Amino acid sequence: MQETVISIQSAEKTFPNGVQGLAPITLDIHPKERIGLIGPSGCGKSTLLKLIANLHQPSSGHLTWWNKGFAEVGKENRRLSFVFQEPTLMPWSTVRKNVRLPLDLEGISPDVSAPRVQQALEIVGLAHAADRFPAQLSGGMKMRVSIARALVTRPNLLLMDEPFGALDELTRNRLDEDIATLCAKDDLTLLFVTHSLYEAAFLSTRVMVMAAHPGRIFAEYEIDPSIPRNEEFRLSDTFATICQDLSKLLIQASQSSLLAEVA
Amino acid sequence: MQETVISIQSAEKTFPNGVQGLAPITLDIHPKERIGLIGPSGCGKSTLLKLIANLHQPSSGHLTWWNKGFAEVGKENRRLSFVFQEPTLMPWSTVRKNVRLPLDLEGISPDVSAPRVQQALEIVGLAHAADRFPAQLSGGMKMRVSIARALVTRPNLLLMDEPFGALDELTRNRLDEDIATLCAKDDLTLLFVTHSLYEAAFLSTRVMVMAAHPGRIFAEYEIDPSIPRNEEFRLSDTFATICQDLSKLLIQASQSSLLAEVA
Amino acid sequence: MSARLISIFAPLAVGILFLLLWQGICYFWHIPPYLMPAPSDIARSLFSNIDTLGHALYSTLTVTLAALCVSVVLGVLVAFVLVQHPLIERSLMPYVVLMQVTPVVALAPLIIILVKTTLLALVVCATLIAIFPIISNTLQGLKSVDPGLEAFFRMHKASRLKTLLRLQIPSALPMFMAGLQISSGLALVGAVVAEFVAGTGGNSAGLAYEILQAGFQMDIPRMFAALFMITLTGLALYMATSSIRKLVLHNRVQH
Amino acid sequence: MSARLISIFAPLAVGILFLLLWQGICYFWHIPPYLMPAPSDIARSLFSNIDTLGHALYSTLTVTLAALCVSVVLGVLVAFVLVQHPLIERSLMPYVVLMQVTPVVALAPLIIILVKTTLLALVVCATLIAIFPIISNTLQGLKSVDPGLEAFFRMHKASRLKTLLRLQIPSALPMFMAGLQISSGLALVGAVVAEFVAGTGGNSAGLAYEILQAGFQMDIPRMFAALFMITLTGLALYMATSSIRKLVLHNRVQH
Amino acid sequence: ATPVRLLLSWFAQAEVGGFYQALAKGFYAQEGLDVHIDMGGPQVNTMQILAAGRADFVTGYDFQTLRGIQGGMPLLTVMSSFQHDLQGLMTHDNITDLAQLRNHPILISSPAHASYWGWLCKKFGYIPAQAKPYTFNLQPFFLDPEMAVQAYASSEPYEAQQRNVPVKFFPFADLGYPPYGTPVLTTHEFADKNDATTQAFVRASLLGWQDYMRDPEPGNALIRKANPRMTEGQIMFGHSAMAKANVVEGGDTKTLRRVVS
Ligand SMILES: Nc1ncnc2c1ncn2[C@@H]1O[C@H](COP(=O)(O)OP(=O)(O)OP(=O)(O)O)[C@@H](O)[C@H]1O
Ligand SMILES: Nc1ncnc2c1ncn2[C@@H]1O[C@H](COP(=O)(O)OP(=O)(O)OP(=O)(O)O)[C@@H](O)[C@H]1O
Ligand SMILES: O=C([O-])O
Ligand SMILES: [Mg+2]
Ligand SMILES: [Mg+2]
């Protein structure tokens, strides 16, 4: 049997102030899946990602990573990267050193890491700003540094929390295509939060629509993984249909959230 | 002669580290205009907004506000609000107190401000979270608090730096429509940065496309202000054409930026 | 055992272990009490002198608390003045530093001459020792305002007073609290040092008097008993300021 | 005049104004030099005693710098140990506080007995006074890590050492520097206090000895000249640590 | 009654018993004086306080007085309590002559550096490096059989006796140290303006001293009140040491006292 990348068994998160960020959730993520998470603001998307990254402990329930405990994560073929909703860079280090950080933490020598850092910076179009400090960057540039830092480790599971929200449409589309290429080429599983239905439709093999009050998975939507994700797909009728379907689901999820809030 | 809201005369910004954030720019903003700023990441959009908000001083050139100096800003009919690219909330205050802040600074009594705060919170859909602290909010919720804080003063000029980037499509559309309504009803001039061509097309009477290296206005695009901005407009052919035109301009601007960077 | 209980008992356990070790060393090596008294000697002396020592503690504590109050009020005021303009800070900060580095032991004679009441002279000496961390931390705190929020206040043309009250003070609070904690200890040390250099015996005699006299008389257990009261008081002050700090900063929730 | 020049001359101007005022008061009210010497008396005494005072300053400075070095090394180490686990902090922090609140003036006799070399005894006394702000600020700094970055390190299973080196130390740097600045002043005060209570005459006599002797000999201008050297040294230490701080934190660019 | 402030150089003890006796027995009151006695301590600079007018009389040390006058202070010694100084060196049992102490560590307090330490160095060939800091705590002395310590006839030997440590005490006066003991100072200005008061104060104080040597109890009661930590044994030891050395009567008293009063 092929191993599951992430298996969530009725995990639930209630915060110390009593707010239930996430109702019990059960979910399996398989290798090479690309899952898009969409849903209204405050529905628990970031909370779910943080549970998977082991940054939150579930209040109840259980998770496994590659069928093992979190202790095994990080070893060969079980690399995990996270692009946070905010850039969270080290303000005292240059862009280059920020991107190199996860490689340094793995103990990879600067000789080996230098070309990989350069490559990651080129993907996000920031090679020219490698020696600036975070405070000297625009909002979108900071976020791109954060993306480069996640890509530089060549992760097997990439978690991204609205990574492209601060980017212009063109940069965003280009990065979407780069990510799609990376996913096709490498053994990469992807779980990302997005506010763009188009992005969800373009990148995902499965879209999870979440609703709030409490945070939960409202609907799932599968997209044929065999379709090549390129400019042609973006202009196809299939794409338009998918977007319309997602839009309807999102409207329903939002209404359900509002009703639950009033109740 | 009708007064100009903002008049920029060849203002230019070079940062202490030598990066030219903005080449000399000349621009007049008239009452009730709604200007959308689009352009690749790092092209100087935030810098331009900060110049207008008097948060950056131009390295050379000159600005006026309602034909006067900045000292006159804030008085009756010359109110200015700014939604920053990051939420910048007071971590030690509740949502409610954060939103009330600009009214407190004006010396408005709590009795008067309470209903206005409530109304602003309802516009952004956060009435239920009024007593939480910023650290207890999701990324999108924080941004919505920041928007409510800008609306609560009933500004005459509203500057917004990618305010909806962290919001889901539906919330975003709803807020777009609310802003459009506010603009129609009140004497509101709007200048906003966005990464969504659709949003720029939906809200603006004029779209400025910017390019980088150095930051500059690459093109301007006028949209008939008499068209009512509603769901019908969003589905119209005019809208589609506008979006396509903007997309082309943005591609050209990005290419120009890239060429300038290589040069 | 609950985490709360552990967190109370762990420091106690360390303390008890330390005392046992000390007692053991004194016992097995037959160290005479006038060289290094065992904890049991100190405890005995503490109990038999509890009245006098308690009275002395009361005197010292009065000076300590008065000096701490003056330090807070004056220190915060000075920090406010300094933060008004970089030029003011540049002009006056060196003199605040001068005040810190001038050893009170050397100034005490002058202070005694200038200040008529002994109690007041003691408070002045202790304040001179305790005030600097308040000034320096509050100043640092007032300057460590989030630049984004500062821009917001500037844009809304907030008056100096409102910026102070609504932005700078809340931003400075964590650092002020850290300063308060350092200063509360220094105020106590300052009070004792002041009593050493400026104090007289008699009715207002504080713990320094007890330590001096016990030292002259080679009653080392009593000297340690007095020292023990000082350290215990210092600890109590630390825990009190710690609680105030938690109370004041309780809603600075972390992510 | 350039902003740089102003920022150098403003504090000087304040100082000169203050000295003139002082001189004026002494002159017009005929205050005898043995009560409050005028700046001119002090200057005269300073120049005629410059050899002895310079020598004394050298001794005091030796103790100060040694104590500051020990404080930094030991203080940072203690902070590192304390930050390893909340339980360690809870268990040991009270004893660190104990150390701060135990007045060195009272401990000095014991320290002299336990530490044979006078110089070492002085350094120990001064260190006891100077170390606390380093520990407390470094600890606070080590704990004030951006929760987001901390999460990143945790997720990447960074070793304790790497988290310390790459995250906690850089995050703690600004607070450590503030602590260093407080401590540099305290190390000087500590050295002087130590000399007061534990110092000897002879070749290794420091500024405190000069102050005490000038006091006993009623040579008040010389006493003030020695005090003046102390305050000047304190100022120099402050400016030195200030420069180090700016140097170390220069790339923490503000928006 | 005329208010008069006397500042002592140290805490209340038998060595200043005469002043307390004069107060207790009403000798000051009989002279029309309302005397208030303040205690000093290790760090209290009595001369400065006197010069600042915060005390009318202080007890002092000869060398310090001379230095003060050299520095321009208008000091005036108006009486002496003792006919010779009670200061000396306390050594362990094996020492028979202070000359043997060359190269031994000697505990010397900071004030002593300004008075008799120089005299000792000159007389016995001691060197500055021998002086170790004395904080009025005898622990180092008890620990080190080589060590000597500055001592007051009435204080340190008592502590040694209490601990059964055999010691020897060498009074400087016996070795030719010239000053009187515990002089009382005022300023020229005060003496000029308050001649009668000064005379009255000296008269009553001397009376107090003579009376104290006969029956110290009234003065001791006040000493204990001012300095509650002073033990009975300590006071009695001090008193008998003074009596044994005959510091109040004797010396120049027979010839010179009349001149003063
Ligand atoms: N530390 C916390 N303490 C208390 N409540 C919290 C905390 N973090 C999040 N919440 C609450 O949990 C809910 C889910 O938050 P989460 O951040 O997962 O939302 P989200 O789906 O990521 O929203 P957005 O799209 O706006 O980022 C929200 O109601 C939020 O207010
Ligand atoms: N404080 C600063 N110091 C130096 N350079 C800066 C500073 N702030 C911005 N810049 C530079 O100025 C340029 C314009 O920045 P700006 O923030 O205006 O971009 P932007 O158009 O808002 O980008 P984004 O869409 O990514 O937010 C960028 O190259 C940026 O690196
Ligand atoms: O001055 C002292 O801190 O002892
Ligand atoms: Mg989120
Ligand atoms: Mg920007």
Side-chain angles (χ1 to χ4, degrees):
Chain A
M1 195 195 89
Q2 208 194 5
E3 64 183 353
T4 323
V5 178
I6 300 289
S7 170
I8 306 178
Q9 283 116 36
S10 50
E12 181 258 334
K13 181 71 192 175
T14 303
F15 288 103
N17 68 342
V19 172
Q20 193 180 31
L22 208 57
I25 208 167
T26 296
L27 173 69
D28 277 356
I29 302 176
H30 303 288
K32 305 213 82 184
E33 268 201 295
R34 300 192 299 274
I35 301 183
L37 277 180
I38 59 177
S41 168
C43 70
K45 305 180 293 294
S46 299
T47 306
L48 179 57
L49 253 64
K50 283 180 185 165
L51 278 177
I52 294 174
N54 201 37
L55 295 175
H56 281 334
Q57 305 305 315
S59 307
S60 66
H62 185 70
L63 283 89
T64 60
W65 293 260
W66 289 277
N67 298 346
K68 303 206 166 63
F70 189 75
E72 301 290 311
V73 173
K75 305 200 173 139
E76 206 53 45
N77 298 327
R78 289 192 204 106
R79 277 178 223 285
L80 186 153
S81 275
F82 195 151
V83 180
F84 298 102
Q85 196 164 359
E86 276 111 36
T88 52
L89 304 176
M90 300 182 292
W92 57 82
S93 287
T94 59
V95 165
R96 192 192 308 283
K97 286 201 188 138
N98 264 290
V99 172
R100 211 180 61 192
L101 175 66
L103 299 180
D104 287 352
L105 291 180
E106 274 187 41
I108 291 171
S109 81
D111 298 351
V112 180
S113 60
R116 283 172 66 178
V117 169
Q118 188 61 27
Q119 192 191 348
L121 283 175
E122 272 160 17
I123 290 178
V124 299
L126 278 181
H128 69 285
D131 294 315
R132 290 202 212 158
F133 287 93
Q136 299 170 329
L137 300 180
S138 77
M141 290 161 92
K142 277 186 237 174
M143 208 59 218
R144 285 186 280 157
V145 176
S146 179
I147 294 165
R149 184 179 59 184
L151 295 180
V152 81
T153 57
R154 298 184 184 152
N156 306 95
L157 172 61
L158 178 58
L159 306 172
M160 301 199 289
D161 199 349
E162 285 177 54
F164 307 143
L167 300 181
D168 60 291
E169 214 100 339
L170 284 178
T171 313
R172 183 174 196 146
N173 286 348
R174 223 199 55 230
L175 279 170
D176 279 347
E177 279 156 33
D178 286 342
I179 298 279
T181 312
L182 281 177
C183 289
K185 206 171 59 187
D186 300 342
D187 178 23
L188 181 59
T189 309
L190 183 65
L191 177 62
F192 66 104
V193 173
T194 183
H195 286 319
S196 161
L197 297 180
Y198 311 100
E199 190 167 270
F202 182 77
L203 272 182
S204 315
T205 57
R206 180 150 60 129
V207 179
M208 321 255 289
V209 186
M210 294 184 65
H213 307 289
R216 63 211 137 99
I217 294 179
F218 179 81
E220 294 201 12
Y221 187 93
E222 304 264 350
I223 303 174
D224 184 354
S226 64
I227 307 174
R229 309 303 165 102
N230 49 27
E231 205 48 34
E232 195 185 328
F233 175 55
R234 229 190 264 279
L235 300 172
S236 68
D237 285 345
T238 332
F239 187 75
T241 318
I242 296 170
C243 290
Q244 275 167 16
D245 290 351
L246 289 179
S247 180
K248 275 180 215 144
L249 285 174
L250 188 59
I251 291 173
Q252 288 168 18
S254 299
Q255 280 164 349
S256 161
S257 306
L258 279 176
L259 284 176
E261 188 196 332
V262 173
Chain B
M1 196 194 94
Q2 209 196 3
E3 64 182 354
T4 324
V5 177
I6 299 289
S7 170
I8 306 178
Q9 284 115 36
S10 49
E12 181 259 333
K13 181 72 192 176
T14 304
F15 289 102
N17 67 343
V19 172
Q20 191 179 31
L22 207 57
I25 209 167
T26 296
L27 173 70
D28 277 357
I29 302 175
H30 303 289
K32 307 214 80 183
E33 271 202 289
R34 301 194 297 275
I35 302 182
L37 277 180
I38 59 177
S41 168
C43 70
K45 305 180 293 293
S46 300
T47 306
L48 179 58
L49 253 66
K50 283 180 185 166
L51 277 177
I52 293 174
N54 202 37
L55 294 175
H56 280 334
Q57 304 307 315
S59 308
S60 66
H62 186 69
L63 283 89
T64 60
W65 294 261
W66 288 278
N67 297 346
K68 300 204 169 63
F70 190 76
E72 300 290 310
V73 173
K75 306 201 171 139
E76 207 53 47
N77 298 324
R78 291 195 203 106
R79 277 179 224 285
L80 186 155
S81 275
F82 195 151
V83 180
F84 298 100
Q85 195 163 0
E86 275 111 37
T88 53
L89 305 176
M90 301 182 292
W92 56 83
S93 287
T94 60
V95 166
R96 192 192 306 284
K97 286 201 186 138
N98 264 290
V99 173
R100 212 179 61 191
L101 175 66
L103 299 179
D104 287 353
L105 291 181
E106 274 187 41
I108 292 171
S109 79
D111 298 351
V112 181
S113 60
R116 284 173 65 180
V117 169
Q118 187 62 25
Q119 193 191 346
L121 282 174
E122 272 160 16
I123 289 178
V124 299
L126 279 181
H128 69 283
D131 294 316
R132 290 203 210 157
F133 287 93
Q136 298 169 330
L137 299 180
S138 75
M141 291 162 93
K142 277 186 237 172
M143 210 56 218
R144 285 187 280 156
V145 177
S146 179
I147 295 166
R149 184 180 61 180
L151 294 180
V152 79
T153 56
R154 298 185 185 149
N156 306 93
L157 172 61
L158 178 58
L159 306 172
M160 302 198 289
D161 199 348
E162 285 177 53
F164 307 143
L167 299 180
D168 60 291
E169 213 100 340
L170 284 178
T171 313
R172 182 174 197 147
N173 286 348
R174 223 199 57 231
L175 278 170
D176 278 347
E177 280 156 32
D178 286 343
I179 298 279
T181 312
L182 281 177
C183 288
K185 207 172 58 186
D186 300 341
D187 178 22
L188 181 59
T189 308
L190 182 67
L191 177 60
F192 65 104
V193 173
T194 182
H195 286 319
S196 162
L197 297 180
Y198 311 100
E199 191 167 87
F202 183 77
L203 272 181
S204 314
T205 58
R206 178 151 60 127
V207 178
M208 321 256 286
V209 186
M210 292 182 68
H213 307 289
R216 63 211 138 100
I217 296 179
F218 179 79
E220 295 202 12
Y221 187 93
E222 303 265 349
I223 303 174
D224 185 354
S226 64
I227 306 172
R229 309 302 164 103
N230 50 26
E231 204 49 36
E232 196 184 325
F233 174 56
R234 228 190 265 279
L235 300 172
S236 67
D237 285 344
T238 329
F239 188 74
T241 317
I242 295 171
C243 290
Q244 274 165 16
D245 290 351
L246 288 178
S247 179
K248 273 180 216 144
L249 284 175
L250 189 58
I251 291 173
Q252 287 167 19
S254 300
Q255 280 164 349
S256 162
S257 306
L258 280 177
L259 284 177
E261 188 196 334
V262 173
Chain C
M1 200 151 64
S2 86
R4 232 188 111 68
L5 275 179
I6 289 181
S7 82
I8 291 172
F9 280 111
L12 275 181
V14 173
I16 289 168
L17 213 78
F18 175 72
L19 288 178
L20 283 179
L21 201 76
W22 179 354
Q23 182 83 40
I25 290 175
C26 288
Y27 182 81
F28 286 108
W29 291 355
H30 299 290
I31 297 179
Y34 63 85
L35 274 188
M36 175 60 98
S40 59
D41 298 325
I42 299 172
R44 212 172 301 120
S45 178
L46 185 64
F47 283 115
S48 63
N49 290 292
I50 193 74
D51 275 0
T52 340
L53 287 178
H55 199 82
L57 174 62
Y58 177 81
S59 290
T60 303
L61 211 51
T62 310
V63 176
T64 304
L65 293 181
L68 192 57
C69 289
V70 177
S71 294
V72 167
V73 173
L74 226 65
V76 168
L77 261 174
V78 169
F80 282 171
V81 170
L82 290 179
V83 89
Q84 288 313 306
H85 196 280
L87 201 61
I88 301 185
E89 192 193 333
R90 298 263 340 185
S91 304
L92 298 183
M93 195 60 194
Y95 302 98
V96 175
V97 176
L98 278 190
M99 216 181 58
Q100 187 215 8
V101 298
T102 308
V104 172
V105 258
L107 278 190
L110 277 180
I111 293 168
I112 297 173
I113 291 172
L114 293 174
V115 183
K116 308 271 163 195
T117 337
T118 307
L119 183 68
L120 206 61
L122 295 178
V123 172
V124 170
C125 287
T127 303
L128 278 173
I129 289 178
I131 200 172
F132 189 74
I134 301 256
I135 297 180
S136 125
N137 273 27
T138 308
L139 183 65
Q140 216 51 48
L142 289 173
K143 294 201 292 181
S144 71
V145 163
D146 172 356
L149 276 172
E150 204 193 341
F152 186 85
F153 275 71
R154 202 150 21 102
M155 219 181 57
H156 278 272
K157 302 185 164 180
S159 67
R160 209 146 251 193
L161 184 70
K162 276 188 173 154
T163 310
L164 194 65
L165 290 177
R166 303 289 306 261
L167 177 62
Q168 292 182 299
I169 291 183
S171 303
L173 221 48
M175 280 212 77
F176 165 78
M177 285 292 159
L180 180 68
Q181 226 160 355
I182 298 181
S183 281
S184 65
L186 282 184
L188 179 63
V189 171
V192 176
V193 169
E195 288 173 351
F196 262 93
V197 294
T200 47
N203 287 330
S204 68
L207 287 170
Y209 167 78
E210 289 295 326
I211 291 175
L212 268 178
Q213 291 299 331
F216 297 154
Q217 295 167 12
M218 295 286 296
D219 189 349
I220 308 303
R222 199 172 90 225
M223 181 172 137
F224 270 84
L227 268 177
F228 177 75
M229 292 199 95
I230 293 178
T231 53
L232 220 64
T233 309
L235 211 57
L237 277 174
Y238 184 84
M239 293 196 309
T241 46
S242 213
S243 303
I244 295 176
R245 180 184 192 161
K246 280 207 192 96
L247 208 75
V248 170
L249 303 182
H250 77 282
N251 52 24
R252 310 277 168 121
V253 193
Q254 288 292 307
H255 270 284
Chain D
M1 200 147 69
S2 85
R4 233 190 111 69
L5 275 179
I6 290 181
S7 82
I8 290 173
F9 280 109
L12 274 181
V14 172
I16 290 168
L17 214 77
F18 175 72
L19 289 178
L20 283 178
L21 201 78
W22 179 353
Q23 181 83 36
I25 290 175
C26 289
Y27 183 79
F28 286 108
W29 290 356
H30 298 290
I31 298 181
Y34 55 82
L35 266 191
M36 174 60 97
S40 58
D41 298 325
I42 299 171
R44 211 171 305 119
S45 179
L46 185 64
F47 282 114
S48 64
N49 291 294
I50 193 72
D51 276 1
T52 339
L53 288 178
H55 200 82
L57 174 63
Y58 177 81
S59 290
T60 304
L61 214 52
T62 310
V63 176
T64 304
L65 293 181
L68 192 58
C69 289
V70 177
S71 294
V72 167
V73 173
L74 226 66
V76 168
L77 261 174
V78 170
F80 282 171
V81 170
L82 291 179
V83 89
Q84 290 311 308
H85 197 280
L87 202 62
I88 299 187
E89 192 193 333
R90 298 263 341 183
S91 305
L92 297 184
M93 194 60 193
Y95 301 97
V96 176
V97 175
L98 278 190
M99 215 181 56
Q100 187 216 7
V101 298
T102 308
V104 171
V105 259
L107 276 190
L110 276 180
I111 292 169
I112 296 173
I113 293 169
L114 294 175
V115 183
K116 299 282 162 193
T117 336
T118 309
L119 182 70
L120 206 60
L122 295 179
V123 173
V124 170
C125 289
T127 303
L128 279 174
I129 289 178
I131 199 172
F132 189 74
I134 301 257
I135 297 179
S136 129
N137 274 26
T138 308
L139 183 65
Q140 217 51 46
L142 289 173
K143 293 201 291 183
S144 71
V145 163
D146 172 356
L149 275 173
E150 204 193 339
F152 186 86
F153 274 72
R154 201 150 21 100
M155 219 182 58
H156 278 273
K157 307 190 160 175
S159 67
R160 209 147 253 191
L161 183 70
K162 276 191 174 150
T163 310
L164 195 65
L165 289 178
R166 302 291 305 260
L167 178 62
Q168 293 182 299
I169 291 184
S171 303
L173 220 48
M175 281 213 76
F176 165 78
M177 284 292 157
L180 180 67
Q181 226 160 356
I182 299 180
S183 281
S184 65
L186 283 183
L188 179 64
V189 171
V192 175
V193 168
E195 289 173 352
F196 260 94
V197 294
T200 48
N203 290 330
S204 67
L207 286 169
Y209 176 77
E210 289 298 322
I211 291 176
L212 275 174
Q213 292 309 316
F216 292 131
Q217 297 168 13
M218 292 290 128
D219 190 350
I220 309 301
R222 198 173 93 222
M223 183 174 138
F224 270 84
L227 265 178
F228 177 74
M229 294 199 91
I230 293 177
T231 53
L232 221 63
T233 309
L235 212 57
L237 278 173
Y238 184 83
M239 293 196 306
T241 45
S242 214
S243 303
I244 296 176
R245 181 183 193 164
K246 282 208 191 93
L247 208 75
V248 171
L249 303 182
H250 78 283
N251 51 24
R252 311 277 168 121
V253 192
Q254 288 291 308
H255 270 284
Chain E
T2 317
V4 168
R5 292 160 304 173
L6 167 66
L7 173 62
L8 304 175
S9 58
W10 200 252
F11 296 93
Q13 51 185 349
E15 291 87 329
V16 286
F19 304 108
Y20 283 100
Q21 185 85 357
L23 193 61
K25 295 284 276 282
F27 299 156
Y28 290 134
Q30 278 161 26
E31 296 276 4
L33 302 180
D34 175 18
V35 173
H36 183 85
I37 304 179
D38 277 321
M39 301 192 297
Q43 303 284 354
V44 178
N45 194 329
T46 51
M47 301 278 191
Q48 234 179 342
I49 293 173
L50 175 71
R54 298 288 310 281
D56 302 322
F57 299 99
V58 299
T59 62
Y61 304 93
D62 273 68
F63 279 100
Q64 208 183 4
T65 311
L66 292 176
R67 297 267 197 190
I69 291 168
Q70 185 184 32
M73 293 180 90
L75 299 175
L76 180 67
T77 300
V78 293
M79 70 165 266
S80 172
S81 306
F82 304 148
Q83 292 310 305
H84 51 81
D85 202 321
L86 284 173
Q87 196 69 53
L89 275 187
M90 182 165 87
T91 68
H92 287 284
D93 214 13
N94 53 341
I95 300 293
T96 53
D97 183 345
L98 286 189
Q100 294 170 351
L101 284 179
R102 233 167 280 168
N103 300 323
H104 284 236
I106 305 176
L107 293 177
I108 293 294
S109 71
S110 296
H113 282 274
S115 52
Y116 50 78
W117 175 242
W119 178 80
L120 280 174
C121 287
K122 197 150 180 235
K123 187 154 183 93
F124 298 106
Y126 301 156
I127 53 168
Q130 276 179 262
K132 302 293 168 207
Y134 181 42
T135 59
F136 301 95
N137 183 320
L138 286 172
Q139 281 163 295
F141 172 76
F142 290 143
L143 271 178
D144 185 349
E146 295 280 283
M147 197 174 261
V149 57
Q150 72 172 66
Y152 214 63
S154 49
S155 302
E156 279 86 355
Y158 175 71
E159 300 300 337
Q161 179 192 309
Q162 288 296 99
R163 274 161 197 79
N164 297 318
V165 179
V167 295
K168 286 234 173 66
F169 177 67
F170 298 90
F172 295 153
D174 293 358
L175 301 163
Y177 188 64
Y180 294 119
T182 313
V184 173
L185 310 183
T186 185
T187 58
H188 279 293
E189 196 195 357
F190 182 87
D192 290 347
K193 283 193 190 146
N194 307 282
D195 187 38
T197 306
T198 305
Q199 295 208 25
F201 179 77
V202 170
R203 260 196 313 273
S205 299
L206 289 177
L207 206 56
W209 269 117
Q210 287 160 1
D211 198 60
Y212 183 69
M213 292 320 291
R214 284 193 290 275
D215 168 24
E217 197 35 48
N220 286 350
L222 284 189
I223 289 173
R224 279 192 299 267
K225 197 168 151 218
N227 187 2
R229 281 305 184 186
M230 187 48 68
T231 60
E232 198 58 39
Q234 171 84 70
I235 296 185
M236 288 326 293
F237 185 88
H239 187 265
S240 63
M242 289 190 294
K244 217 182 311 166
N246 196 21
V247 280
V248 173
E249 306 287 342
D252 295 329
T253 46
K254 301 292 181 277
T255 46
L256 289 183
R257 197 181 343 137
R258 292 293 145 225
V259 179
V260 173
S261 52

